[in-house]
Amino acid sequence: MKSVIEDIDRIPVVTRYGRVSSVQGLLVEVAGIQSEVSIGSRCVIETRRSVDVTAEVVGFRDDHALLMPFRELEGVGLGCRVIIGDAEPVVYPTRAWLGRVVNAFGEPIDGKGPIPRGVDSYALKASPPPAHNRHRVGEKIDLGVRAINTFMTCCRGQRMGIFSGSGIGKSVLLSMLSRYTQSDVNVIGLVGERGREVTEFIQDNLGEEGLKKSVVVVATSDESALARRQAAYLTLTLSEYFRDLDNDVLCLMDSVTRFAMAQREIGLSGGEPPASRGYTPTVFAELPKLLERAGPGEGKGTITGLFTVLVEGDDHNEPISDAVRAILDGHIIMDRSIAERGRFPPINVLRSVSRTMPKCNAPEEAAQIAEARTLIATYEGMAEMIRLGAYRTGSDPAVDRAIQLYPLLEAYLAQDIEEPADFGAAFAQLTEILGQASAEEVAA
């Protein structure tokens, strides 16, 4: 009844409308409503094919409102009527959303029928919780990937970025995290990804058991920029709903770069000037607003965010990578050179960082990780000389030990996609590797 009353209150007493005065590409100019709408307002364009098109106000020009559509503009022409819609789009989630696949509008696309409507409304573009009211990050969370659990330990409520070039395996790593992470609810946003991968991800990677505790939000690369952007907003909105139910939520988004590209397309269409590599200023304004919504809440619930970033041209200092890395609480770097030599996941542990890690591991665990990092760094620093045969065994005990243990550490960092790895087993295996050299040194 409460949601019905809210819907009744949202019905306008007077219907205001304008007319389409110009169509340029995906931009629709509308006259007659410029004094009634603002940036972000929703409108409905009545087409000549009896199919309404929802659009959003993205700017103003010469006393006209500039609209971008959520779907194709087929049937839209000069003089078509444009009705002012809701100023703030909302959704009404419930626990019945679990196990479902929805589009950017929250409409089911899995063929399982309609989704029940909840009582409370949640805004798609909500503000993050106030900084002074948020709890601190919780205890460490088992992500099920050995390299991340040990070298980049993550805590509940932390936000991590997975930075990777194209074709290195970030989507496969994301699928491992969705299956093996210990969480109450998974909210997975596939933003601007390939359409053929959606079914594969749901059936092969999530499976029936994984889908039961997950909501998947999909906006493929062929959909409009507004739909791709809204899919990212909906992913965080659903995460906030389940967080407010005191759940530990795992929010996975693939990828933040596609969200930034969609925002860039919207900004350029609205006349915004391009800045760094064509990205408009609003891109860098929207990124923190989106990513800060993840993290600890004001209650017991948390949102642990894992966001992939598609690094253009393998340049990890390109604008989006640089901006996202500054916002998040750590970054996982996937290296193409490691992938080319056959190790998966190709995580470069020397370049990857978890900002909450120093305080979440026991002292003995931290000592083991520091020792393993030192061994890998020592070997990588001498790798060229070792391959050329310029290094003589016995010249440096530290290098000798690194040469002995490096193959074991490489095998340790490798993990099959069907192989889960928990904290206990991961640290026990690392202890065994580091202890081998000590035993052999004592015997010598």
Side-chain angles (χ1 to χ4, degrees), residues 101-131:
V101 183
V102 300
N103 62 14
F105 302 92
E107 301 166 347
I109 56 175
D110 52 9
K112 297 180 181 179
I115 300 178
R117 180 189 178 98
V119 174
D120 297 321
S121 63
Y122 276 73
L124 287 177
K125 294 187 69 174
S127 299

Side-chain angles (χ1 to χ4, degrees), residues 316-331:
H316 287 268
N317 293 320
E318 56 93 20
I320 299 303
S321 299
D322 209 33
V324 173
R325 189 165 51 242
I327 298 168
L328 299 180
D329 307 318
H331 49 273

Side-chain angles (χ1 to χ4, degrees), residues 141-194:
I141 181 172
D142 189 349
L143 297 178
V145 178
R146 192 161 43 239
I148 301 176
N149 276 349
T150 50
F151 288 88
M152 293 137 271
T153 312
C154 184
C155 296
R156 295 191 184 277
Q158 187 173 347
R159 300 160 305 158
M160 292 280 282
I162 301 173
F163 294 76
S164 167
S166 58
I168 297 181
K170 65 182 183 305
S171 296
V172 179
L173 177 60
L174 207 67
S175 71
M176 293 175 66
L177 296 170
S178 67
R179 276 191 292 177
Y180 302 141
T181 300
Q182 301 298 314
S183 62
D184 298 325
V185 174
N186 296 335
V187 181
I188 304 168
L190 303 179
V191 180
E193 295 302 310
R194 305 172 188 88

